[in-house]
Amino acid sequence: MIHTLANRIASIFVLYGESSEEDKDIYVYACEVWLSTIFNIGLSLLIAVLLGRVMEVIIIMTSYALLARYTGGYHANTHFKCILTFAVLLICAMTILSIVSSLQVEGVLLITASIAFIGIFILTPVEHENKPISADLRKLQKIKSRWITFALLVLCIVDFFILDIGFGLSLSLSVFFVFGSMLYATLSKRKF
């Protein structure tokens, strides 16, 4: 669906002289990424509104995207699977937040985020086979991902022990899910 729509948009660019036929594939890819992002954000916000957890979803989406950019991790092989995976992830996160809040065991998420921090520190960055990275970029991504993870963990701790606003739960889940994505990608590459 996304590829078909992206192809039509790119064809319009070619038809009206905004692009050449030789560059059409580049435009198709750019449109696919753009459309996938729009659908992903739109579905995520719909889930947020339906579950009454808009702020939590925005915090998770933002911190997940910021961290996953530098850590790497699981990549779905289609846009549909990517959107579906993230939607399921958000629904799981909202369910976990409800359970943790009702049982008042927020400290469990802080411990989980701390464990995830250690895992991210060890695994980062997880390289995808279709997007190899140079040694210099690997080093830079490692530094950035570790600092971002550390900052998110500090924000979680500050929220848990000082502010008590509630965003620490969402941040800790986000860190945990990024680590889960990295762990899954790492384990799926190995031959057992």
Side-chain angles (χ1 to χ4, degrees):
M1 176 179 95
I2 290 177
H3 178 74
T4 304
L5 188 54
N7 197 26
R8 288 183 183 166
I9 293 170
S11 294
I12 291 171
F13 288 144
V14 171
L15 180 68
Y16 288 101
E18 300 295 325
S19 169
S20 64
E21 190 65 43
E22 296 84 35
D23 292 337
K24 184 178 176 187
D25 288 341
I26 296 169
Y27 278 83
V28 169
Y29 177 74
C31 288
E32 282 180 10
V33 171
W34 180 71
L35 290 169
S36 180
T37 301
I38 289 173
F39 286 140
N40 213 346
I41 291 171
L43 182 60
S44 298
L45 291 176
L46 178 64
I47 290 169
V49 169
L50 292 175
L51 297 178
R53 298 233 182 214
V54 174
M55 189 51 80
E56 291 92 338
V57 167
I58 290 172
I59 290 169
I60 289 173
M61 284 173 46
T62 305
S63 56
Y64 186 93
L66 177 68
L67 187 55
R69 174 181 177 164
Y70 299 107
T71 62
Y74 169 74
H75 287 277
N77 55 1
T78 67
H79 294 290
F80 177 75
K81 286 181 185 176
C82 177
I83 293 167
L84 182 63
T85 301
F86 197 73
V88 169
L89 186 83
L90 279 180
I91 292 169
C92 289
M94 295 307 104
T95 304
I96 291 168
L97 283 177
S98 295
I99 292 169
V100 166
S101 297
S102 67
L103 295 177
Q104 296 182 342
V105 288
E106 290 87 356
V108 171
L109 285 182
L110 182 58
I111 293 167
T112 305
S114 300
I115 293 168
F117 170 74
I118 294 167
I120 290 171
F121 189 85
I122 293 167
L123 294 177
T124 194
V126 176
E127 191 173 344
H128 189 271
E129 61 190 26
N130 292 338
K131 193 175 179 185
I133 55 178
S134 67
D136 289 340
L137 184 57
R138 173 178 285 284
K139 185 177 178 181
L140 183 63
Q141 285 182 315
K142 186 175 289 219
I143 291 167
K144 286 183 178 183
S145 65
R146 287 177 176 175
W147 275 108
I148 293 168
T149 306
F150 179 73
L152 293 176
L153 188 61
V154 168
L155 285 172
C156 290
I157 292 168
V158 167
D159 184 54
F160 282 130
F161 295 111
I162 299 170
L163 299 176
D164 196 26
I165 297 172
F167 67 82
L169 295 173
S170 299
L171 287 176
S172 60
L173 274 174
S174 182
V175 170
F176 177 73
F177 285 142
V178 168
F179 170 63
S181 170
M182 294 171 67
L183 188 60
Y184 179 79
T186 301
L187 292 175
S188 65
K189 288 181 187 177
R190 294 191 178 165
K191 305 287 185 208
F192 292 102

